[in-house]
Amino acid sequence: MCGIVGYTGSKNCSSILFEGLSKLEYRGYDSAGITVIENSKAITIKAQGKLSNLKPELDKSGFTGTCGIGHTRWATHGKPSVENAHPHTSGRVTVVHNGIIENYVELKSHLISTGRIFSSETDTEIIAHLIDIGLSKGKTPLEAIAACTVSLKGTWALGILIDGYSDTLWAARNQSPLILGTSSGENFIASDIPAIMSLTNSVIFPEDNEIIEVSPDKISIFNEQLEEIRRTPQTILWNPVTAEKGGYKHFMLKEISEQPRALSDTIAGRITSEDLIYFDGIELPLNIKRVLIIACGTSYYAGLIGKYMIENTARIPVEVDFASEFRYRNPVLDANTLIISISQSGETADTLAAVKEARKSGAFTLSISNVINSQIPRVSSSSFYTHAGPEIGVASTKAFTCQLGALFMTAVHLGIKTGSLEQKEAIRLVGELRTIPSKMHSIIDQGAQIKVIARRYMSSTGFLYIARGLNYPIALEGALKLKEISYIHAEGYPAGEMKHGPIALIDENLPVVSIVPKNGYYQKVVSNLEEVRARGGKIIAIATRGDSEIADIATDLFQIPDTDPLLEPLLTVIPVQLLAYYISDFKGTDVDQPRNLAKSVTVE
Ligand code: AGP
């Protein structure tokens, strides 16, 4: 996610802004910039890459101004570059933004048709233009900002400067994080508490669709009708490390909890208000006869789910291969094969090599990645970016569910292209996808139930995860999550395979985690669980809310909302993520940096 800071007071603001941005480095970024009002005019410096690249610009800037804004960019629209770095200026207005403007394409083309000139590929720049247009029509800053935000669809946290106002800045928020810091004779805005916690611990949290005017002695908050709202500052007593994790004990737990927002951001800008998918910028070839998905680890399990999705919607055969196997097995490929690579980091060596190998055959390669301009997207024919934001915990969580969202949208898109999916059905599926973030929230809100279950089984020396169909890869993923952060051995298995060997393992010392939602496989999985129970096995069942039958079979039960079978994995994965997290936390392992593992495996 991008990071925003702003300051107005009596001090030279440039070093305060730079310090604030450095405290947001954990959010990940690929460029940075600062704007300061000097003699009533906004002066901007920017640099690509690490924040340290901005320091020489800052040292030679000679800034003395006391009001300014700063930004670290995690690219979502437009490659990492100085031109695309924030802040962005149009006329008298300079803006920094964290979030995604879903309707920026139509707004930008309208603005261009009115003669507006753009200097970046970002969605943010349209905001500066819209506010500048409002001012040129005689609106006050607040009126111009309100008129702008009313026309936006999507998410935003904004910092705004206007030439001629030497000690005032403005802010606005809708769904993206923004806080206001208060102190005597100076005030702050920031994306997150770490940016300002060395300067004040008195913080106000604005709500969605609010606009804020900040001067050295006053913070005024308004709704979109510009009615003033009173809000009392809160005192934050976090230490710096806790603050970076947003108050969570580990980044992994924070990232599990961020999944609704991450999925919403990944969906935003890819579905229209009529619930149609639009794949602008991703021109898939016409004559796709076969799909081959290549990935590693958790991303490979996402690929297994993508197989079920695409074969169900597009009726095209899909194979899924470990990248480390694919690259050496002399695969049979041709121009009718669509290669989909999945990689959170976009840097995994095996996947990168596999994509390069695949391209030699002339196959079209689509990368699904979470890092704009990382190596795998750069060597691919086209890229579908997830917008999970930086994933710090080594164990992948929010990136995984965003990969599933991207695969689902690709499956619906392919289904329409091949004619095997009716428009009406496609709209129904996309409509159901829209409900997933709130269903995720309801599961995360019940996390304490998983914590109780984790406490009960934390001393087990092995686990078996079983499921069928689209949830079989979630059994694999759940086992991997547990293994990689708790160091307890676990195995995922198709439930139908129990009788071919694994049932010999069953006794009261081997807990069986079963993903058993009410879908077409339900009765089959219940029969497998009966066999487990008959042999004294303990069952931790993840089932659909309202399912009373499973309660008689399971030793422990966690229930999740119902959804379309193709979308179930986006929900069933959350309890297994939480189970692995809590067991590991109880065991005291290094949850965010487990032994022997790296976040991105850039070596063979
Ligand atoms: C997942 O929890 C692991 N950290 C690991 O399996 C990871 O998914 C794998 O290394 C692939 O990484 P990538 O998605 O960045 O390519």
Side-chain angles (χ1 to χ4, degrees):
M1 298 83 83
C2 303
I4 290 176
V5 285
Y7 172 86
T8 182
S10 55
K11 300 180 186 117
N12 179 329
C13 69
S14 56
S15 52
I16 293 172
L17 296 172
F18 187 85
E19 261 322 290
L21 293 178
S22 68
K23 296 288 190 304
L24 297 178
E25 288 197 274
Y26 71 89
R27 296 165 70 90
Y29 63 95
D30 44 56
S31 53
I34 283 174
T35 296
V36 174
I37 297 286
E38 295 285 333
N39 307 317
S40 289
K41 184 124 180 61
I43 306 296
T44 297
I45 58 169
K46 300 180 181 184
Q48 187 177 340
K50 287 289 170 206
L51 193 56
S52 51
N53 298 348
L54 190 64
K55 195 76 176 58
E57 301 300 320
L58 187 61
D59 293 344
K60 61 186 184 203
S61 68
F63 281 147
T64 58
T66 61
C67 180
I69 53 178
H71 186 268
T72 49
R73 182 172 182 245
W74 170 268
T76 54
H77 290 86
K79 63 183 179 305
S81 67
V82 172
E83 295 72 27
N84 289 331
H86 301 205
H88 289 288
T89 296
S90 167
R92 296 174 47 199
V93 180
T94 299
V95 172
V96 290
H97 167 224
N98 177 26
I100 292 178
I101 304 302
E102 290 175 30
N103 60 337
Y104 90 95
V105 173
E106 55 244 51
L107 288 172
K108 183 168 181 176
S109 52
H110 169 69
L111 289 169
I112 289 171
S113 69
T114 64
R116 284 272 162 173
I117 309 287
F118 283 79
S119 58
S120 82
E121 303 161 324
T122 67
D123 52 346
T124 302
E125 194 181 349
I126 62 163
I127 297 170
H129 283 280
L130 289 169
I131 298 171
D132 187 54
I133 289 167
L135 294 174
S136 63
K137 291 177 178 170
K139 291 183 188 304
T140 66
L142 283 171
E143 290 166 346
I145 294 165
C148 164
T149 55
V150 162
S151 67
L152 301 179
K153 283 188 195 144
T155 59
W156 58 86
L158 302 177
I160 303 158
L161 293 175
I162 299 175
D163 289 357
Y165 294 84
S166 299
D167 68 354
T168 304
L169 61 88
W170 290 265
R173 172 181 190 248
N174 185 41
Q175 299 184 54
S176 290
L178 182 71
I179 60 167
L180 312 171
T182 72
S183 187
S184 115
E186 58 185 15
N187 287 313
F188 311 81
I189 65 169
S191 299
D192 216 345
I193 289 166
I196 59 172
M197 69 185 300
S198 59
L199 301 161
T200 180
N201 62 5
S202 172
V203 173
I204 298 171
F205 296 91
E207 303 285 339
D208 286 348
N209 293 313
E210 289 182 349
I211 297 166
I212 304 100
E213 184 170 84
V214 185
S215 61
D217 300 313
K218 191 164 187 267
I219 292 181
S220 309
I221 301 174
F222 304 87
N223 62 20
E224 277 190 317
Q225 291 70 42
L226 297 184
E227 295 150 346
E228 189 155 0
I229 299 161
R230 290 263 164 259
R231 193 133 311 132
T232 314
Q234 299 178 35
T235 303
I236 302 292
L237 298 174
W238 284 346
N239 64 47
V241 174
T242 309
E244 275 198 4
K245 296 169 188 162
Y248 290 95
K249 187 174 179 183
H250 295 103
F251 277 112
M252 182 179 175
L253 187 57
K254 177 170 179 272
E255 288 154 8
I256 290 171
S257 308
E258 284 174 342
Q259 290 183 104
R261 159 61 44 228
L263 181 65
S264 298
D265 285 351
T266 298
I267 295 172
R270 282 281 168 217
I271 53 180
T272 68
S273 44
E274 294 77 43
D275 280 353
L276 294 173
I277 304 275
Y278 69 78
F279 246 49
D280 75 312
I282 304 175
E283 296 312 321
L284 298 181
L286 294 174
N287 53 347
I288 298 168
K289 297 278 181 284
R290 173 172 164 252
V291 174
L292 184 52
I293 299 176
I294 44 182
C296 300
T298 287
S299 298
Y300 169 81
Y301 298 145
L304 291 177
I305 293 165
K307 169 186 170 68
Y308 283 90
M309 291 175 169
I310 295 169
E311 289 190 345
N312 264 280
T313 56
R315 308 308 296 156
I316 302 175
V318 181
E319 286 169 63
V320 189
D321 220 336
F322 286 110
S324 53
E325 288 296 313
F326 172 88
R327 59 186 292 203
Y328 298 114
R329 67 177 178 79
N330 191 20
V332 176
L333 301 174
D334 58 30
N336 295 338
T337 303
L338 168 62
I339 301 278
I340 300 177
S341 69
I342 306 173
S343 175
Q344 185 286 129
S345 61
E347 298 293 343
T348 298
D350 283 324
T351 309
L352 176 62
V355 171
K356 286 178 178 174
E357 186 65 28
R359 290 219 65 176
K360 286 182 200 156
S361 67
F364 185 94
T365 55
L366 172 67
S367 76
I368 294 177
S369 178
N370 193 43
V371 182
I372 289 226
N373 244 28
S374 50
Q375 286 195 78
I376 295 170
R378 286 211 307 270
V379 301
S380 300
S381 317
S382 192
S383 296
F384 187 138
Y385 286 110
T386 53
H387 296 312
E391 190 174 66
I392 313 293
V394 164
S396 185
T397 51
K398 61 177 183 173
F400 175 74
T401 41
C402 289
Q403 288 167 353
L404 297 185
L407 285 161
F408 180 81
M409 289 188 275
T410 303
V412 171
H413 178 70
L414 285 172
I416 293 291
K417 265 173 80 79
T418 59
S420 56
L421 191 64
E422 293 290 320
Q423 186 87 296
K424 197 158 74 44
E425 175 62 1
I427 290 170
R428 183 192 69 78
L429 287 171
V430 171
E432 181 59 26
L433 174 63
R434 277 186 193 281
T435 71
I436 296 298
S438 63
K439 291 180 175 178
M440 287 174 151
H441 263 306
S442 73
I443 295 170
I444 292 162
D445 291 347
Q446 289 183 311
Q449 291 179 30
I450 297 284
K451 191 170 182 176
V452 170
I453 296 172
R455 170 76 76 184
R456 195 169 295 143
Y457 293 92
M458 63 176 277
S459 307
S460 305
T461 54
F463 285 74
L464 187 61
Y465 288 69
I466 62 172
R468 286 181 184 243
L470 267 149
N471 289 297
Y472 160 51
I474 297 300
L476 298 172
E477 169 60 5
L480 174 63
K481 284 279 119 11
L482 187 70
K483 276 183 278 201
E484 64 176 327
I485 62 175
S486 75
Y487 317 146
I488 298 171
H489 183 62
E491 195 168 5
Y493 238 90
E497 277 295 295
M498 287 292 287
K499 52 191 175 294
H500 301 289
I503 201 157
L505 293 169
I506 299 301
D507 62 26
E508 69 282 1
N509 301 315
L510 183 85
V512 174
V513 180
S514 178
I515 298 109
V516 53
K518 273 277 191 188
N519 60 21
Y521 297 94
Y522 179 77
Q523 285 308 334
K524 296 285 181 201
V525 179
V526 165
S527 310
N528 298 136
L529 294 177
E530 294 281 11
E531 292 156 14
V532 169
R533 197 172 67 147
R535 289 158 180 81
K538 294 203 181 78
I539 297 164
I540 302 167
I542 295 160
T544 306
R545 271 182 207 149
D547 175 359
S548 53
E549 183 184 351
I550 197 72
D552 299 336
I553 302 168
T555 317
D556 291 274
L557 178 59
F558 184 83
Q559 296 195 305
I560 64 172
D562 188 23
T563 186
D564 186 277
L566 290 181
L567 288 163
E568 276 171 1
L570 284 93
L571 301 182
T572 55
V573 73
I574 296 175
V576 297
Q577 292 170 341
L578 288 168
L579 184 64
Y581 170 77
Y582 284 120
I583 288 177
S584 308
D585 188 34
F586 287 139
K587 287 194 65 181
T589 54
D590 185 345
V591 169
D592 284 332
Q593 300 287 342
R595 68 186 182 196
N596 311 337
L597 292 178
K599 181 60 188 169
S600 174
V601 183
T602 54
V603 293
E604 273 209 43

